[in-house]
Amino acid sequence: MSDLDNSTSEGTATQTVNGEVSVNFNGYKLPILFESKADFSGLANSASPQESDTADSDQPLTHYHSFFYDLFTWKFPRATGFFFSFAISLILAFRFVNVLRYVFKATYLLFFGVAFLEIAARPFGVRGFISSVRPKRYYTIPRDSLDRLFGELHDLLNFFVLEFQRVLFVENIFATVVAFFASFIGYFLIKYIPFWALLLLTTITAFTAPLIYLQNQEVIDEQIQWANEYANAQLANGRQIAEKYIDDASVRARATATELTQKVQSYAVKKSPTTEKSQASPLPKNDGPAHEFPDAPKSDLPTVDGTSDVKAAAPEPIVA
């Protein structure tokens, strides 16, 4: 279905087909700024409160889930390109330009200008220019605006809290693995590169990685499937090896325990008769034939060949 609007000039017409706006100029279609407006409108509709997705626990997610998904997947390329360029420019500006210093400079120039315009006409008796344009009532922030602002901030904080819990409790194993590698790489990079460079690298990765994945989804999914199957095969092989080692260790442990038990029992059997015997009779009885010893001699000294071994003492000589 197409709607043909009134021509803006001769030979030029604006045509809207399936929500895409283009300009017909003498038969040629030219993109116009309305396409960018349509992209921003579509991204804004993604961020508006609506029926959102739910987690595995049937808990409803915030509408920012759809917003960031459409933003990082380049569903609306012009709006995403604008936010991507703005983020990169903001990081580089804060890195190479002293933004806070220029904010103070703009502030004092503003106050100096209004003070000069107000004082310059006073010597001539003319009312100051700034006083003449002063509003009757100063502008105030409506309460409804603050309520909407804090409501959006509340939803945004809940988005980060919910997404962190979904990754932490492995609702999607791929997202958890990606978060692991991202944090692991960041842990090492932060030691070698400054924070602004790490933030710049993170922003570029966040805006380009989903687009690369969508453009090469089939090839990446095949590689992920192969890696998953390979990891499962290695886990199964490791489980079988572990079970084999556990069975062997249990068999060896049972054999060792049986052997030790047998040794203890044999040692107890060998030692028990001696113990009982020692407890029954401390001095063993000599029932068998004992060694025979010779009888004690009845005479004082034994004789050899009928003569006494002891000679009589010779009489002492008589001294004349």
Side-chain angles (χ1 to χ4, degrees):
M1 180 179 178
S2 62
D3 299 329
L4 186 64
D5 299 336
N6 295 330
S7 58
T8 56
S9 61
E10 185 178 358
T12 305
T14 304
Q15 187 178 12
T16 305
V17 180
N18 296 329
E20 294 184 359
V21 185
S22 60
V23 171
N24 266 332
F25 182 76
N26 293 331
Y28 296 97
K29 291 184 178 180
L30 300 176
I32 59 173
L33 294 177
F34 291 118
E35 295 181 358
S36 300
K37 184 178 179 181
D39 283 354
F40 280 101
S41 299
L43 191 60
N45 292 332
S46 299
S48 60
Q50 55 188 352
E51 184 179 357
S52 57
D53 298 332
T54 58
D56 289 348
S57 59
D58 295 332
Q59 182 177 2
L61 303 175
T62 62
H63 55 274
Y64 280 102
H65 178 79
S66 301
F67 170 77
F68 283 108
Y69 180 82
D70 294 342
L71 177 65
F72 292 124
T73 57
W74 296 74
K75 183 177 180 180
F76 304 101
R78 294 172 183 82
T80 302
F82 170 78
F83 280 104
F84 180 47
S85 302
F86 177 76
I88 296 297
S89 302
L90 191 64
I91 295 172
L92 294 178
F94 274 93
R95 172 62 183 86
F96 297 104
V97 179
N98 195 343
V99 178
L100 187 61
R101 180 172 179 269
Y102 283 100
V103 168
F104 280 112
K105 182 177 181 180
T107 303
Y108 85 73
L109 288 177
L110 175 64
F111 289 141
F112 172 77
V114 296
F116 178 77
L117 292 176
E118 182 66 22
I119 296 174
R122 293 293 176 88
F124 303 100
V126 182
R127 184 182 178 184
F129 175 75
I130 302 300
S131 300
S132 62
V133 298
R134 182 189 304 146
K136 294 182 179 180
R137 294 181 62 87
Y138 293 116
Y139 175 78
T140 57
I141 300 175
R143 184 180 182 84
D144 295 338
S145 300
L146 286 178
D147 291 339
R148 287 194 299 270
L149 177 63
F150 284 108
E152 293 297 327
L153 182 61
H154 175 262
D155 291 340
L156 182 62
L157 292 177
N158 279 334
F159 163 76
F160 289 108
V161 172
L162 288 174
E163 292 302 317
F164 176 78
Q165 293 178 88
R166 293 178 69 191
V167 173
L168 179 64
F169 294 105
V170 198
E171 185 173 321
N172 186 351
I173 184 62
F174 179 73
T176 304
V177 172
V178 170
F180 160 70
F181 279 107
S183 57
F184 182 75
I185 294 172
Y187 168 75
F188 285 99
L189 289 182
I190 196 63
K191 297 191 296 185
Y192 303 105
I193 62 176
F195 178 75
W196 71 269
L198 182 62
L199 184 61
L200 181 65
L201 181 62
T202 303
T203 304
I204 295 174
T205 304
F207 277 93
T208 56
L211 182 61
I212 295 174
Y213 171 74
L214 291 177
Q215 291 180 350
N216 305 276
Q217 186 173 2
E218 295 182 358
V219 178
I220 296 176
D221 289 343
E222 290 179 358
Q223 298 298 322
I224 293 175
Q225 183 66 24
W226 175 84
N228 190 18
E229 293 177 355
Y230 180 78
N232 291 332
Q234 294 299 321
L235 288 175
N237 188 20
R239 191 181 301 110
Q240 293 177 357
I241 295 174
E243 290 176 355
K244 181 180 178 181
Y245 276 109
I246 291 173
D247 293 338
D248 294 341
S250 62
V251 170
R252 288 196 299 269
R254 285 195 296 267
T256 304
T258 304
E259 184 180 355
L260 291 175
T261 303
Q262 293 176 354
K263 287 183 177 181
V264 171
Q265 290 177 353
S266 63
Y267 179 75
V269 169
K270 288 180 179 180
K271 189 168 183 175
S272 58
T274 306
T275 305
E276 292 176 356
K277 189 174 181 180
S278 63
Q279 291 178 355
S281 59
L283 296 175
K285 294 181 179 180
N286 191 4
D287 295 335
H291 294 286
E292 295 181 355
F293 295 95
D295 295 334
K298 295 180 180 180
S299 59
D300 294 336
L301 294 174
T303 59
V304 179
D305 296 335
T307 60
S308 177
D309 291 335
V310 180
K311 295 181 178 180
E316 296 181 355
I318 299 173
V319 178

